[in-house]
Structures are given as structure tokens and as C-alpha cells.
Amino acid sequence: MNTDQDKTAAAQPFEIFLVAAPGLESVLCAEARERGFANPTAVKGGVTVTGGWPEVWRANLELRGATRVLARIASFRALHLAQLDKRARRVPWAEILRADVPVRVEASCKASRIYHAGAAAQRIERAIAEELGAPIVKAAPKPTGKKPAKDMEAEAEDTRAVQIKARIDDDLCTISVDSSGESLHKRGHKEAVNKAPMRETLAALFLRQCGYDGREPVVDPMCGSGTFVIEAAEIAAGLKPGRSRHFAFEQLANFDPALWQSLRAGGTPTAPTVRFYGSDRDAGAIAMSRANAERAGVSAWTEFTHHAISDLTPPEGPPGLVIVNPPYGARIGEGKSLIPLYHAMGQTLKARFAGWRVGIITNEAALAKATELPFGEDGVSVSNGGIRVTLYQTGVLG
Ligand SMILES: C[S@@+](CC[C@H](N)C(=O)[O-])C[C@H]1O[C@@H](n2cnc3c(N)ncnc32)[C@H](O)[C@@H]1O
């Protein structure tokens, strides 16, 4: 049984790790600071903040750029497996996990005397089972490589599972609960996607890098499934990115549904005063974007039209931001055939979009160069679903 002292200790703020796309940690750090999280610090692979469980829930609900949110529940030195076994039992598992919810423990070891990740995971599983007073319901192992249909079924069933991550680095074991479950780029209101969609979390960070704060109109002339346009409209309307989905923390023992409901309901969305425009030469993409905007509840402020970039003209009203990720040259050298398309896009934007800023996300510097747009310094290269992409930004076009 836990003493009152233990309970007080559990209520103390702990470290919360916000996973970021490597290269964009400082952009996520700025978002966390703006949203009022305590002590935001950019580190390799993410951002640390401090808080309690309500802050963990709020991070999942409100942060647009985080890929997932890990609650760091314990940290101790472990020089050998017996010590790991003993110290893992001191974690107040029963306050965090439910005996009826499947658990998956994943361990990794680096530069440590404990080098067998499987044995480490097994010790932690045993500690959890003993603390919960019941054998843990083990989640199916994560499918690896090409997924056969059977694995995909297992994975679908497994969305209820809670994942515990143990990282043993330089003999220091850090135990975290993955409070998000499915990656946070899945906002929960997008069903239709095209071949190379931009992840919502990355789209939000690129918009932020372009200085987008929700007050300007946004145009994406190759909008695909509408990611940039929908993200921009949500930012402008003050809609919370996690409003339509479920999270792993809802399966934890310390989940408080009433407090969660009040967090979700807090803040009033406001109708934006500007509009958000997407176009694409593919009619299917336009149908997809409209359906996605409808499900996200932003269709009143978005307009999607079917035409090629050569027919693009600026919308009426104030200038704003053009943000676009044109087709990539997926294999080395393939990009060459795309040079005329990028060149034509650059000419259209230079000729018709005076007063606007432009952000282009692409995977080859030569393609960005072909636009002949006046880009500032190159951004960092970031992985979007396996393809490394970079944001190229202009100032206000003359
Ligand atoms: C990489 S995808 C964009 C993905 C999009 N950002 C999303 O999140 O779904 C590139 C898009 O450019 C469109 N496209 C290619 N050439 C075009 C052209 N000449 N005019 C307009 N759209 C074009 C394709 O139909 C495709 O939807």
C-alpha cells in the first residue's frame, strides 16, 4: 500500500517529454512556451517541460507540433538486472496503470552495464505485475517490416494498449508512459489522404516557422489532402488539434474524465476574419480536401478549387502566406523532370503574389532554386514519412 507521503510525491511535477521531428525542436519549444508550459527546454529529439498529469493531457490536446507526449514517471540508476528489478518495483505502478488494460514494455540500452533490452523489459513487466497484483495483460508485439493483414488487425486491436518505455543510458534508467497512443499527427478528423500527405504536426511547425499566427490568409496551390489549409484555418479559429481523438492516457488509472472534459471544453473558438485557400490540378485531391475540412469543422472558412498552378491568382483581400509542398523527386536524379514545374510555379508567384510571403517544402535544393524565388537561409532538413524535406522561405515579395 502507498503511504500518504508516496501519494504526495506522485502529485509533484515531473518531467514531460514532447517528442519533436528532429531538427524542429526549437520550433516546438516556442509553441510550448506560448501555451504556458513550465520550463520548456529544447533537447535532442524533443522538448522537456514540467507539470503534472493535467499538463500531460493539455499537451496532447493543445500542442500542434508534438509527435507524442511522454510522462517521465521514474528515473534511477541501475547497474545490473537485480537492481533494475528492485528499483522498478518502487515505481507507483498501481496509481498509473489499470490491471485490465494491455501494457507493452519497450526497453533500450545504450552505453550501460545492462545491455540486454529484452531482459530489462521482462524485469519491468514483472515489477508491474507484482505491484498491480495481477499478471499484466500483454499487448501484441509491434509489427515490424511489411505488415501482413493479421498484424494490422492485431495493431488495430492494440490501440487500447498503454506503452511503457524504459531507456537505460549510461546506467541511468528512465521510465516513461506514452500518454498519446497513436501519433499526434493523427488529429482524428482526416479520413482521406493522398499519396504523399504532409504530417499535420510537421505542417503546423512549418507554418509556425513561417511566422504564421492565424491572422493572415493562407494559399496552398498544390494542396493534396488539404493539410496546410486545414491546419491554418484551425490555428486562426483557435480550435484545439486534439479535440476529435482519443489518447492512451484515457486508459490510465489516474485519468479524471470530469477534469478532462473541462479541459477539452475550455476556450472559445472564434470565426477567423480571413480565409484559407487550397487548389490542386487533381480533382480527387480537391474532393478529399473538402471532405477533410468538413470533418475538421473548418469548411465555412476554407475554399478548395480544382485548377493547375498556372491558373492561380491571389484571392481578394489582404496578402498573406503561400505555403506549398510540390511533388518531390523521390529518387536521386528524378527531381530533374520536376524543374520546369518548380520554375513555372516560381514565375507565377513572382508575377502575381506581390506582398505575399512564400514557404516551399521540398527535398532537393535544386528544385527550390529552380523557382528563382528570393529565399533566405535554408531551413533544416526534416523527415516527413521517410523523405527528408526542407522549408525554403522568402520575405515579402516585391
Ligand atoms: C506532395 S503533394 C502535396 C501534399 C499535401 N501537402 C498534403 O498534405 O496532402 C503534391 C500535390 O501537387 C499536385 N500538383 C502537381 N502538379 C501540379 C500542378 N501543375 N498544379 C497544381 N497541382 C499540382 C498533386 O496533384 C499533389 O496533390
Side-chain angles (χ1 to χ4, degrees):
M1 219 172 87
N2 288 299
T3 62
D4 283 349
Q5 208 181 353
D6 283 341
K7 281 192 188 134
T8 321
Q12 293 295 318
F14 48 85
E15 190 171 271
I16 302 168
F17 187 73
L18 313 169
V19 179
L24 296 180
E25 293 92 341
S26 61
V27 190
L28 176 60
C29 191
E31 186 188 10
R33 188 171 302 114
E34 208 174 88
R35 305 259 20 137
F37 287 92
N39 308 315
T41 311
V43 295
K44 192 167 176 271
V47 174
T48 58
V49 296
T50 48
W53 285 94
E55 295 302 281
V56 171
W57 307 341
R58 191 167 76 80
N60 277 288
L61 177 67
E62 292 185 359
L63 291 175
R64 295 195 161 269
T67 312
R68 59 183 61 251
V69 177
L70 307 179
R72 290 191 161 160
I73 54 169
S75 181
F76 50 80
R77 283 178 68 73
L79 303 182
H80 47 78
L81 285 169
Q83 201 169 44
L84 175 68
D85 193 273
K86 193 165 155 212
R87 296 197 169 160
R89 283 162 208 261
R90 291 197 200 139
V91 178
W93 294 110
E95 287 175 19
I96 298 165
L97 298 178
R98 278 174 26 192
D100 61 325
V101 174
V103 178
R104 185 192 300 125
V105 178
E106 269 191 9
S108 66
C109 308
K110 199 175 129 204
S112 297
R113 271 164 268 199
I114 296 176
Y115 56 85
H116 191 317
Q122 188 263 335
R123 294 305 194 285
I124 295 166
E125 280 170 4
R126 202 164 65 192
I128 295 173
E130 293 193 6
E131 168 83 4
L132 293 185
I136 64 168
V137 183
K138 267 212 210 178
K142 251 197 200 161
T144 48
K146 200 165 165 263
K147 292 174 191 170
K150 213 166 67 193
D151 283 350
M152 284 173 76
E153 272 166 38
E155 198 178 31
E157 277 174 21
D158 205 22
T159 48
R160 245 173 51 89
V162 169
Q163 190 171 4
I164 303 294
K165 291 176 189 284
R167 205 188 67 204
I168 308 176
D169 195 347
D170 201 11
D171 296 329
L172 182 72
C173 176
T174 306
I175 298 188
S176 308
V177 182
D178 175 358
S179 68
S180 304
E182 272 201 304
S183 165
L184 295 178
H185 80 273
K186 298 197 175 168
R187 305 289 199 218
H189 46 243
K190 191 188 229 183
E191 278 169 22
V193 290
N194 60 344
K195 263 197 286 178
M198 176 62 51
R199 296 204 163 164
E200 283 71 2
T201 41
L202 268 189
L205 292 174
F206 286 141
L207 281 163
R208 175 171 279 275
Q209 269 197 309
C210 290
Y212 187 69
D213 64 2
R215 284 183 287 188
E216 304 161 295
V218 168
V219 169
D220 179 351
M222 300 190 181
C223 67
S225 55
T227 317
F228 281 117
V229 179
I230 295 169
E231 278 298 308
E234 289 192 12
I235 293 169
L239 290 167
K240 294 172 180 150
R243 68 196 178 282
S244 310
R245 59 163 277 169
H246 287 286
F247 300 94
F249 63 72
E250 294 169 59
Q251 307 292 331
L252 298 179
N254 56 12
F255 178 56
D256 178 341
L259 186 51
W260 170 234
Q261 275 321 316
S262 70
L263 272 180
R264 259 171 40 128
T268 347
T270 42
T273 50
V274 291
R275 293 289 173 266
F276 309 90
Y277 306 87
S279 53
D280 200 290
R281 69 166 177 202
D282 175 3
I286 293 306
M288 242 186 260
S289 292
R290 286 189 186 134
N292 289 332
E294 184 70 43
R295 270 188 294 268
V298 297
S299 55
W301 314 306
T302 54
E303 262 178 44
F304 293 98
T305 42
H306 175 210
H307 61 74
I309 192 151
S310 47
D311 294 326
L312 180 72
T313 50
E316 301 240 317
L321 175 71
V322 176
I323 188 158
V324 55
N325 78 296
Y328 309 124
R331 278 178 288 273
I332 306 281
E334 199 185 19
K336 270 208 182 105
S337 62
L338 293 168
I339 285 193
L341 174 66
Y342 278 72
H343 181 73
M345 175 174 73
Q347 298 314 299
T348 301
L349 294 174
K350 275 201 289 187
R352 302 180 195 161
F353 279 76
W356 289 68
R357 286 173 293 121
V358 178
I360 293 181
I361 294 104
T362 189
N363 68 330
E364 283 187 44
L367 291 174
K369 200 165 164 230
T371 63
E372 293 175 0
L373 286 165
F375 295 121
E377 264 178 43
D378 289 7
V380 288
S381 132
V382 184
S383 171
N384 178 47
I387 300 179
R388 296 208 70 82
V389 296
T390 302
L391 168 68
Y392 297 87
Q393 288 184 68
T394 72
V396 174
L397 296 182

